[in-house]
């Protein structure tokens, strides 16, 4: 469960103050896919950054499990994020001159995974995104879709319970976008994880269990998909 309570984030001072998020409140059940939807500048990426501890608000709480991550010290926050969260961004952020193996290994180094376990996890993550044959290839030699799949492998190698994706298909064509989306939802389902996607893509948002619509820093609507009846 993630609880966002009375989160307010502002930038600037006095006459130049800008309110990016204004008293935002909602909760996300565990094992749920969520789309945060809004126009450019609506505050959706800021909200994701605060939910994950990458940014801090002036006011509010982010409760994950039973702890407010905003009250953790910097080192505790880094450790929690490395072990519990994975991130996928629009711009890939892969290390072009490093191999696919080395790119995925970075996440394990940050979470201090024992050396003996690293190769097994890296190979499994690359297999999950169908990049086993690229394990020794430099990331800079990959296509855009392959780079995003590599970014997903790096994000899931620690088997996080929270996976954040900020416009993950924004730089991809339709066919490649579908592949990336399917990988994200498959990971969420198979691992009973929570998937938070920032997007302006209505079709992608419609695939999620929840849609949180944000406008001018405020939550304007929250839609929840009808629960499927078990057969």
């Amino acid at each position: 469960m993630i609880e966002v309570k009375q989160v307010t984030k502002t930038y600037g001072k006095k006459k130049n103050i800008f309110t990016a998020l204004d008293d935002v409140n909602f909760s996300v059940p565990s094992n749920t896919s969520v789309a945060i939807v809004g126009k450019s500048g609506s505050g959706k990426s800021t909200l994701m950054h605060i939910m994950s501890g990458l940014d801090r608000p002036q006011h509010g709480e982010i409760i994950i499990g039973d702890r407010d991550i905003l009250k953790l010290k910097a080192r505790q926050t880094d450790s929690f994020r490395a072990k519990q969260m994975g991130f996928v961004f629009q711009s890939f952020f892969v290390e072009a001159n490093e191999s696919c193996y080395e790119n995925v290994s970075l996440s394990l180094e940050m979470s201090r995974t024992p050396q003996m376990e690293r190769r097994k996890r890296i190979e499994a993550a690359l297999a999950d995104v169908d990049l086993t044959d690229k394990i020794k290839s430099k990331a800079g030699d990959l296509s855009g879709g392959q780079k995003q799949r590599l970014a997903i492998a790096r994000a899931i190698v620690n088997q996080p319970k929270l996976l954040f994706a900020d416009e993950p298909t924004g730089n991809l064509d339709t066919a490649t976008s579908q592949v990336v989306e399917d990988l994200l939802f498959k990971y969420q389902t198979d691992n009973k994880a929570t998937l938070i996607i920032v997007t302006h893509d209505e079709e992608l948002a419609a695939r999620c269990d929840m849609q949180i619509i944000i406008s001018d820093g405020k939550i304007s609507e929250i839609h929840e998909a009808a629960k499927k009846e078990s057969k």
Side-chain angles (χ1 to χ4, degrees):
M1 171 77 76
I2 304 175
E3 295 178 88
V4 177
K5 296 183 175 181
Q6 298 179 311
V7 167
T8 295
K9 174 68 176 181
T10 60
Y11 296 98
K13 295 181 179 179
K14 297 182 179 180
K15 293 182 179 180
N16 295 319
I17 198 164
F18 169 72
T19 302
L21 296 173
D22 187 2
D23 194 28
V24 170
N25 295 271
F26 62 89
S27 61
V28 176
S30 299
N31 189 18
T32 301
S33 57
V34 182
I36 300 175
V37 184
K39 296 179 179 179
S40 297
S42 61
K44 58 187 188 296
S45 290
T46 299
L47 177 57
M48 190 206 81
H49 292 161
I50 289 174
M51 289 176 68
S52 60
L54 290 172
D55 197 359
R56 303 183 74 83
Q58 277 72 22
H59 304 287
E61 299 175 294
I62 303 294
I63 311 296
I64 299 179
D66 59 355
R67 56 169 56 178
D68 181 355
I69 66 168
L70 299 179
K71 290 183 178 179
L72 299 177
K73 295 180 180 179
R75 184 174 295 179
Q76 292 175 314
T77 302
D78 291 343
S79 176
F80 182 83
R81 198 162 47 232
K83 294 176 181 178
Q84 300 292 331
M85 299 178 181
F87 296 88
V88 181
F89 297 98
Q90 178 177 344
S91 299
F92 315 139
F93 294 124
V94 297
E95 296 294 332
N97 292 321
E98 302 288 343
S99 70
C100 290
Y101 183 96
E102 291 165 331
N103 266 270
V104 179
S105 179
L106 291 174
S107 295
L108 297 177
E109 293 169 14
M110 292 175 65
S111 63
R112 298 182 180 180
T113 301
Q115 191 72 37
M116 293 285 287
E117 293 183 29
R118 291 185 187 180
R119 174 166 288 275
K120 180 173 66 176
R121 288 199 190 183
I122 292 167
E123 290 177 347
L126 288 171
D128 283 344
V129 300
D130 197 24
L131 284 178
T132 298
D133 61 330
K134 301 293 185 182
I135 191 169
K136 295 181 180 179
S137 300
K138 285 190 175 183
D141 294 334
L142 303 180
S143 68
Q146 289 172 329
K147 287 177 182 176
Q148 193 61 303
R149 282 191 279 142
L150 176 61
I152 292 173
R154 184 181 58 199
I156 66 175
V157 70
N158 275 321
Q159 300 174 327
K161 283 299 181 182
L162 292 172
L163 185 59
F164 292 91
D166 193 352
E167 300 285 7
T169 59
N171 287 333
L172 305 176
D173 60 46
T174 301
T176 308
S177 294
Q178 186 70 43
V179 172
V180 168
E181 289 175 24
D182 289 346
L183 286 170
L184 292 172
F185 285 106
K186 184 177 188 302
Y187 177 82
Q188 185 260 324
T189 302
D190 290 351
N191 294 273
K192 296 182 178 180
T194 298
L195 172 63
I196 310 289
I197 302 176
V198 168
T199 185
H200 62 269
D201 184 331
E202 294 182 1
E203 292 184 6
L204 173 54
R207 295 185 65 177
C208 294
D209 301 320
M210 290 179 63
Q211 296 179 39
I212 298 171
I213 317 299
I214 188 167
S215 178
D216 297 326
K218 291 179 176 287
I219 303 298
S220 60
E221 298 176 69
I222 296 180
H223 301 300
E224 295 189 42
K227 294 185 180 297
K228 297 179 181 178
E229 295 182 5
S230 56
K231 297 181 179 179

